[in-house]
Every structure is written in C-alpha cells, then in structure tokens.
Amino acid sequence: MSNSPTIAFADLTKIDIRVGRIVSAAPFPEGKSSTHILQIDFGEELGVKKSLARLAPNYGFETLVDRQILAVVNLAPRQIGNHRSEVLTLGLNDANGNVVLIVPDTAVPSGNRLY
C-alpha cells in the first residue's frame, strides 16, 4: 500500500502531462543531480521547453535527440544553477537506481496530452 495521500480526481486533472520530442541534449557538468540539459519540442501550442534531467548513465547525448518523452508541462519553473528548468521530464528508477525515461511505444504527435 502506498504512503502517498489520497487525492481527488479533480486534483489529478490539474497535472498537464504531454509528449514532446527531444531536439537537443547537452551536458550539465555543474549539476549535482541533473546531468543533461534537454530542449524538448511540445508542438505548436507549447513550443520548445528546457528540462534538466538526471539521465546518466543510461542515456548518452546522441541517443536522446529525436526521442519522444513524457513531461509535466505546467509546474512552476525551477532554477537549477545557471539554468531554468521549464518542464519535468518523467522517468522511473531501474534496478540500479538509474533513470529510465517514460516514452510512448508508438510515435504520437508532439503536444498530445496524457489522459
């Protein structure tokens, strides 16, 4: 059983999770827990947003470009070092505690909302 508090369905609908396509990935060497600076295209409505993510060692920079991912797009931006993270890229820990991205198993239009 989860230790998380029970929430109303209306609370869940406030979270805006969208699919986006990574257009660039760069190192974030000064980050304590973030390792990658991602530029993610969420389509015409939202455009390109920046996300700082802890993706090492599972993902090299060259393997991320053109990959579709899921992200929360309506959180308040966070200042991380000299960068402003605008969206939260979603992932899960693997057996070693490294992040595995949550991705659609079929290509879908960028900007589609999870429901």
Side-chain angles (χ1 to χ4, degrees):
M1 180 181 226
S2 172
N3 290 332
S4 299
T6 300
I7 63 171
F9 185 78
D11 292 329
L12 178 63
T13 63
K14 294 176 186 177
I15 302 170
D16 191 355
I17 299 174
R18 305 277 181 120
V19 66
R21 185 172 303 280
I22 298 173
V23 294
S24 72
F28 184 40
E30 68 271 24
K32 291 181 182 174
S33 59
S34 296
T35 59
H36 291 63
I37 301 170
L38 306 176
Q39 295 289 332
I40 306 166
D41 184 0
F42 291 97
E44 191 173 310
E45 181 183 350
L46 298 174
V48 176
K49 302 289 183 182
K50 182 191 287 186
S51 179
L52 279 70
R54 182 178 58 89
L55 301 178
N58 283 350
Y59 299 96
F61 303 103
E62 67 287 343
T63 67
L64 290 166
V65 174
D66 209 33
R67 181 185 294 261
Q68 285 194 302
I69 55 85
L70 291 174
V72 178
V73 298
N74 65 332
L75 288 175
R78 287 185 58 194
Q79 191 70 33
I80 302 173
N82 293 330
H83 298 276
R84 183 179 163 131
S85 188
E86 300 172 294
V87 300
L88 175 65
T89 302
L90 297 176
L92 301 165
N93 285 336
D94 65 14
N96 297 315
N98 299 314
V99 174
V100 176
L101 291 168
I102 298 175
V103 301
D105 64 359
T106 299
V108 296
S110 290
N112 269 4
R113 186 172 182 169
L114 177 75
Y115 64 93

